[in-house]
Amino acid sequence: MINKNEIYNISIESVSSDGNGVGKIDGFTVFVPQTAPGDEASVQIVKVQKSYAYAKALEIAVPSKHRRAVSCPYFEKCGGCSLMHIKYDEQLEIKKGIINNALLRIAGTDCRVGEMLGADNEYRYRNKMIFPIGQNSDGSTVCGFYRSRSHDIVPMNDCLLGSEFNGAVIDTVLSYMKKYNVSAYDEKTQRGTIRRIFTRVGKSSGEIMLVISANTEKLPKKECLTDALCSISDKIVSIILNVNTKKTNLVLGDKNKVLFGKGTITDELCGAEYEISPHSFFQINHAQTEKLYKKALEYAAPSENDTVLDIYCGIGTISLFAARKAKRVIGVEIVPEAICDAKKNAEENGIENSEFFCADAERLVPWLIERGEKPDVVILDPPRKGSDEKTLNAIACAAPKRIVYVSCNPATLARDIKFLSENGYCAEKICGVDMFPNTNHVETITLLQKRNT
Ligand code: SAH
């Protein structure tokens, strides 16, 4: 029996999908954040559930050979980089294990990771950052990150995963707020003005977009803010006020007002140029995205007679890449701004064999198939919650020869592979791509082939 607050010794054996070290105490599973496989630690139990417990490490008596020094001063409080204390090669092994474990437990397939595409840069790879702004208990305005598993804001002005310019942006917004007495939004009372800073940079173009999310359409002294922000870098091409008066903690509200510049940024991926709006999804690790898309296209292998259906297409990045090889590409995406970007991107890159539809995949994909579309290859790249049975069922009915499933969540991928395996497909190859070094997140690309019946 394990008791809360008691202290035990534990050997850490593995790392869970959410980045915690895992060990056993008297046969009982215990999760310990910020430990590494091979650590011998003394831990204090903080929470006991029916079949597992959480503990915090008090002392690492024998450190694992996989450990390394951490260069981020916020590591312990933030929790975002749950693997930063582990050497990079071992991080890749851990991620491979997370994928294989999901395949074994959930998918019911023999397919296992064949290849892991690691990153050349472990730091400064993120092209997008979101910094919440709020008030400290002493009433001062703070900007930084949410403390692990809470909505308290820990002040910070540099995240090692983001670009260096972010610190100057945070400092500038905080000075503007102080100088002109502009309040921070308070999640509890739902009052106050500035909610978040959102930054995005085109890694190959260098262009920067800054979005200030506020609980109002009328930002006081907005020209003083834009002038101060513009002086940070001449690469800033867009400053946007995002009006977010909603009482939810959604990152962005629906309405954008351009305060400076063109309102978008441009970036290049796999030889094509993309225009990106604030609401559009764009992969956050540029170098790894190029590897991801190349591998996805290798698996999809469209020929010049093939129609490719790209579901959850965002601004059409994979679609336009596939369009260069295929006869025709159809993209499906739910965010209207992203579809506008996709159409513009097709036009600007001179791609004439693509069509884009804005709708929920679970309604649109069955409709396309009923209407008689016969995709030869389907690519799908859903959000973390994965796809759904209506979409997957419609894909299976259309009977494409190949399905390429790009996923950022091994658990929902494995669930969807199981469904597709029961509906005529066989997972043949799976490749892991480390889009998010130092965190527990991992991307995968799976090739599913139509079974001969
Ligand atoms: N393939 C793109 C985008 C992948 S992210 C790229 O590589 O950039 C997943 C995308 O799915 C997001 O753009 C999101 O807006 C979209 N999405 C989420 N739910 C959806 C749904 N139910 N139907 C269609 N698209 C959806």
Side-chain angles (χ1 to χ4, degrees), residues 269 279-283 289 292-293 310-319 332-336 338 357-365 379-386 388 391 406 408 435 443:
L269 258 180
H279 280 93
S280 297
F281 175 89
F282 192 66
Q283 300 282 357
T289 300
L292 176 83
Y293 288 175
D310 178 17
I311 313 172
Y312 313 95
C313 69
I315 61 169
T317 38
I318 299 181
S319 318
V332 177
E333 160 66 44
I334 201 165
V335 173
F357 293 87
C358 184
D360 190 332
E362 78 174 356
R363 285 186 31 238
L364 196 94
V365 176
I379 301 173
L380 67 161
D381 181 6
R384 285 190 65 74
K385 68 174 186 191
D388 59 84
T391 306
V406 180
C408 55
M435 302 283 272
E443 195 91 6

Side-chain angles (χ1 to χ4, degrees), residues 12-263:
I12 301 299
E13 290 158 15
S14 59
V15 173
S16 68
S17 58
D18 45 11
N20 295 314
V22 190
K24 294 236 168 115
I25 299 174
D26 292 339
F28 199 73
T29 301
V30 180
F31 296 102
V32 194
Q34 301 183 342
T35 54
D39 278 347
E40 299 287 337
S42 99
V43 300
Q44 184 172 29
I45 304 295
V46 290
K47 192 172 176 186
V48 184
Q49 304 283 48
K50 214 167 163 191
S51 54
Y52 59 89
Y54 279 96
K56 66 174 178 204
L58 298 178
E59 200 202 340
I60 308 295
V62 184
S64 154
K65 64 175 193 241
H66 302 304
R67 274 190 174 266
R68 65 177 182 184
V70 168
S71 37
C72 174
Y74 308 106
F75 169 69
E76 278 169 28
K77 288 183 183 158
C78 170
C81 286
S82 53
L83 305 183
M84 197 179 248
H85 59 299
I86 297 175
K87 289 177 188 159
Y88 189 60
D89 286 350
E90 182 62 14
Q91 288 187 24
L92 292 178
E93 282 305 307
I94 289 169
K95 292 185 186 197
K96 192 171 167 182
I98 290 171
I99 305 165
N100 282 338
N101 195 26
L103 292 170
L104 175 74
R105 284 186 306 108
I106 309 170
T109 161
D110 296 333
C111 188
R112 296 289 176 267
V113 175
E115 204 180 348
M116 267 309 282
L117 303 178
D120 299 325
N121 292 320
E122 273 185 66
Y123 301 99
R124 305 277 180 213
Y125 59 81
R126 284 192 68 102
N127 59 16
K128 177 179 114 176
M129 297 300 289
I130 297 163
F131 303 103
I133 292 187
Q135 279 201 333
N136 248 344
S137 42
D138 66 359
S140 61
T141 300
V142 281
C143 178
F145 58 86
Y146 290 121
R147 190 188 301 278
S148 181
R149 288 184 290 277
S150 96
H151 263 220
D152 295 344
I153 298 171
V154 179
M156 176 212 43
N157 82 349
D158 189 25
C159 166
L160 288 182
L161 303 193
S163 300
E164 278 101 341
F165 70 82
N166 285 307
V169 174
I170 293 175
D171 292 345
T172 305
V173 173
L174 290 178
S175 327
Y176 150 82
M177 291 173 71
K178 194 163 180 201
K179 188 162 175 195
Y180 299 105
N181 230 342
V182 182
S183 58
Y185 181 78
D186 180 346
E187 280 191 352
K188 288 191 197 100
T189 61
Q190 294 162 345
R191 292 193 160 175
T193 306
I194 309 279
R195 299 178 74 142
R196 286 182 186 88
I197 304 171
F198 170 113
T199 69
R200 204 171 227 178
V201 56
K203 285 281 181 176
S204 63
S205 67
E207 290 186 356
I208 298 171
M209 169 196 282
L210 306 177
V211 182
I212 309 297
S213 160
N215 184 28
T216 176
E217 284 204 24
K218 296 199 177 74
L219 208 56
K221 298 275 183 196
K222 61 176 190 288
E223 51 305 325
C224 298
L225 175 62
T226 44
D227 286 353
L229 287 172
C230 281
S231 69
I232 294 172
S233 162
D234 56 6
K235 289 289 194 180
I236 296 175
V237 297
S238 295
I239 301 178
I240 292 154
L241 169 65
N242 175 260
V243 185
N244 188 359
T245 52
K246 290 187 186 153
K247 300 196 178 352
T248 63
N249 54 18
L250 270 183
V251 172
L252 293 179
D254 295 335
K255 192 166 174 185
N256 289 322
K257 287 175 86 171
V258 178
L259 302 181
F260 167 80
K262 57 181 179 170

